[in-house]
Amino acid sequence: MSGYYAFRGEESIAFESTLERDFLVRVDFDLDVLGVISQPCEIPFQHPITGRWYSYTPDYIVYYQLGDRHYDDYPKPLLVEVKPQAAWRKHWRDWLSKWKAALRYAKEQGWTFHLYDESRIRDTAFDNITFLMRYKRMTFPPEESREVLNTVQKMGVATLDYLLARHFMGIYRAEGISHLWHLLATRQLDCHVALPFSPFTEVWVPEYES
């Protein structure tokens, strides 16, 4: 399966498998991510047995926001190879030389290099993200959204249960749950998405870089 993923609803980024698509879903949701480039570079490497030279193209490079970090602690870009676990376990001896070349190349550029398989992509965070996506296109009264966001902004951190009790009591609770999921899906609220969702999930208003 191949196609293009609309990163942040704007830039089209190519993927060549469902696992690559799911990786893009993960990084798209991450507010620390500034951008992603598909097949960003070609890295020469030598086969250890035949001595022949080849070219290796990693799948993606991920760039991160500086955020509140000091410039000396700028988050390093991440060079990524996306491979199913069954594939890399079967062929790791054949692919080791190109991955070593990628590690060296990334270090020279001031980047990091990692292999991403299902264990790094299709985890609790991914399940939560895909759950939230069904609420992304829903619409709710803007004034109600502002009231919820103002409450969270003043408190710093609030639980979903508290927001439901304060803003969506009684017959409005079911709609309120969908409304909160929508605010998370559209990144107006943020949370620790790697943790299982519960009534006590803590949310906050993210700070975007200007």
Side-chain angles (χ1 to χ4, degrees):
M1 177 179 175
S2 62
Y4 290 88
Y5 180 84
F7 184 79
R8 305 279 157 89
E10 299 176 358
E11 182 182 1
S12 293
I13 301 178
F15 62 85
E16 297 180 347
S17 68
T18 56
L19 191 60
E20 288 187 9
R21 178 204 60 196
D22 293 349
F23 170 80
L24 293 172
V25 170
R26 283 289 306 269
V27 294
D28 189 11
F29 193 83
D30 188 346
L31 293 176
D32 286 334
V33 170
L34 179 63
V36 181
I37 297 176
S38 174
Q39 299 185 342
C41 56
E42 292 186 357
I43 302 171
F45 71 97
Q46 188 175 28
H47 194 280
I49 298 176
T50 66
R52 294 182 61 183
W53 284 89
Y54 298 90
S55 181
Y56 164 51
T57 303
D59 292 315
Y60 302 102
I61 189 168
V62 182
Y63 292 97
Y64 295 94
Q65 306 270 10
L66 177 62
D68 58 0
R69 304 174 184 89
H70 190 274
Y71 279 103
D72 293 338
D73 190 32
Y74 197 91
K76 294 180 179 180
L78 173 64
L79 195 62
V80 176
E81 175 70 19
V82 177
K83 274 287 182 288
Q85 188 175 91
W88 72 256
R89 285 186 180 277
K90 181 178 181 180
H91 300 286
W92 71 269
R93 289 184 178 85
D94 298 326
W95 295 340
L96 186 59
S97 56
K98 68 178 182 180
W99 289 341
K100 285 183 176 180
L103 281 167
R104 289 193 298 269
Y105 182 85
K107 186 176 181 180
E108 291 169 358
Q109 304 301 317
W111 306 340
T112 57
F113 171 77
H114 284 295
L115 173 67
Y116 272 66
D117 62 16
E118 296 91 336
S119 66
R120 283 179 175 260
I121 298 172
R122 294 171 179 161
D123 54 7
T124 299
F126 179 76
D127 290 342
N128 286 341
I129 292 167
T130 53
F131 166 78
L132 290 173
M133 288 305 99
R134 71 187 70 174
Y135 298 92
K136 188 173 184 178
R137 298 188 182 276
M138 289 185 172
T139 58
F140 297 92
E143 60 274 13
E144 291 184 7
S145 295
R146 284 194 296 270
E147 289 178 6
V148 172
L149 295 174
N150 286 338
T151 294
V152 179
Q153 189 81 63
K154 291 176 181 176
M155 294 180 64
V157 175
T159 64
L160 295 177
D161 194 52
Y162 175 85
L163 294 174
L164 288 171
R166 176 160 181 172
H167 294 282
F168 306 102
M169 296 180 62
I171 61 173
Y172 302 103
R173 184 177 177 87
E175 182 178 347
I177 293 173
S178 295
H179 196 153
L180 295 179
W181 293 142
H182 170 75
L183 293 176
L184 283 166
T186 54
R187 316 309 285 121
Q188 297 178 72
L189 288 176
D190 201 5
C191 67
H192 293 298
V193 73
L195 300 177
F197 286 150
S198 79
F200 304 106
T201 292
E202 294 181 333
V203 300
W204 56 88
V205 176
E207 295 183 1
Y208 293 91
E209 288 192 342
S210 57

